[in-house]
Amino acid sequence: MFHIKICGVRFERDLVAVSQSAAGAVGFNFFPKSIRYLDPASPATAELSARAEELGLTRVGVFVNDKADDIERVVDAVGLDHVQLHGDEPVELGRELMSRGMRVIRAVKLPTQPVRAEAIDDRAKEWVDSGCGLLLDADSGAGHGGSGEELDWESIGRWASKNRRVPWVLAGGLTVDNVSDAIRASGALAVDVASGVENPRGTKSRPLIDQFARIATGALAGR
């Protein structure tokens, strides 16, 4: 799986900025209520995905409470390497998508206050057992991500120390100022950022992308 993902890209200039940084993956957001929404039926979205592939970037589609057939149609039309389920989907959907040949990442939403490792297991275990990768994000309710809220990294670190074979990504309020501390405290294997590399909100910043990816790469290498 990828190590650094810049999520919510919408323009070719975003892709170029990511490709010229130390990041290796981009997220396309297909949740209509998101400020970063891309219309999967638009030819421009398929062109954006094709350009990402040309640039050697891993393409992740972010879906919220969509049906398997609808997700498969988007994957076929747009071209994606991973499907990220970021809503209230049951684990059966993940299994169904994997049976159709898709690689699935499940967003597990956690409270921002300290949380027991057992509580994280309760939310994640059935997805891990099904073969899905995990993305740990702050629970933002109906917003389904992108809130910029931080998780309690020490709590995640305690969980991660007992789940060393689980492929997972840390998200939730990461920025150039805190990503190094977040990786160190949580033991993250990979990181995901959206709002943390934007200025203003919803608009990606090339300098922030480059700085975030550089800092995160150094922190991940130092683990």
Side-chain angles (χ1 to χ4, degrees):
M1 196 158 55
F2 55 84
H3 294 293
I4 302 171
K5 171 171 155 248
I6 309 299
C7 200
V9 301
R10 295 185 293 152
F11 305 106
E12 184 179 5
R13 66 174 182 265
D14 299 337
L15 299 179
V16 173
V18 175
S19 71
Q20 293 178 349
S21 77
V26 292
F28 300 133
N29 194 316
F30 300 126
F31 180 44
K33 294 183 180 180
S34 172
I35 192 174
R36 305 172 186 93
Y37 173 68
L38 284 176
D39 181 357
S42 170
T45 300
E47 292 170 6
L48 194 69
S49 180
R51 179 62 172 144
E53 184 178 32
E54 289 174 4
L55 291 169
L57 299 171
T58 298
R59 302 160 298 170
V60 182
V62 179
F63 297 86
V64 174
N65 298 334
D66 291 295
K67 296 180 180 178
D69 289 345
D70 295 332
I71 292 172
E72 185 172 32
R73 276 192 289 270
V74 173
V75 171
D76 291 342
V78 174
L80 298 171
D81 302 300
H82 296 269
V83 167
Q84 180 176 317
L85 301 178
H86 216 98
D88 306 307
E89 301 88 356
V91 70
E92 288 77 17
L93 177 63
R95 295 192 186 105
E96 174 63 23
L97 295 174
M98 286 188 290
S99 75
R100 301 186 189 192
M102 297 175 227
R103 287 178 283 187
V104 177
I105 301 168
R106 171 58 174 174
V108 174
K109 300 168 190 176
L110 302 173
T112 56
Q113 63 267 29
V115 58
R116 294 180 302 108
E118 294 78 10
I120 300 176
D121 272 334
D122 288 344
R123 301 188 187 203
K125 188 176 187 306
E126 63 178 357
W127 291 91
V128 173
D129 291 346
S130 74
C132 293
L134 299 180
L135 183 143
L136 305 184
D137 199 2
D139 190 345
S140 59
H144 295 292
S147 65
E149 294 181 276
E150 297 177 8
L151 293 171
D152 186 79
W153 305 320
E154 287 76 14
S155 294
I156 293 172
R158 288 189 288 273
W159 169 83
S161 68
K162 300 176 182 179
N163 292 273
R164 296 186 184 279
R165 297 185 180 181
V166 176
W168 66 280
V169 182
L170 178 68
L174 299 179
T175 68
V176 297
D177 296 320
N178 67 18
V179 66
S180 182
D181 289 340
I183 290 170
R184 175 185 50 77
S186 69
L189 305 173
V191 291
D192 182 296
V193 63
S195 62
V197 291
E198 293 177 348
N199 186 22
R201 180 174 169 79
T203 301
K204 293 291 184 282
S205 162
R206 185 179 190 131
L208 288 176
I209 288 173
D210 183 69
Q211 189 178 4
F212 181 93
R214 178 167 44 80
I215 294 171
T217 297
L220 290 167
R223 288 190 59 251

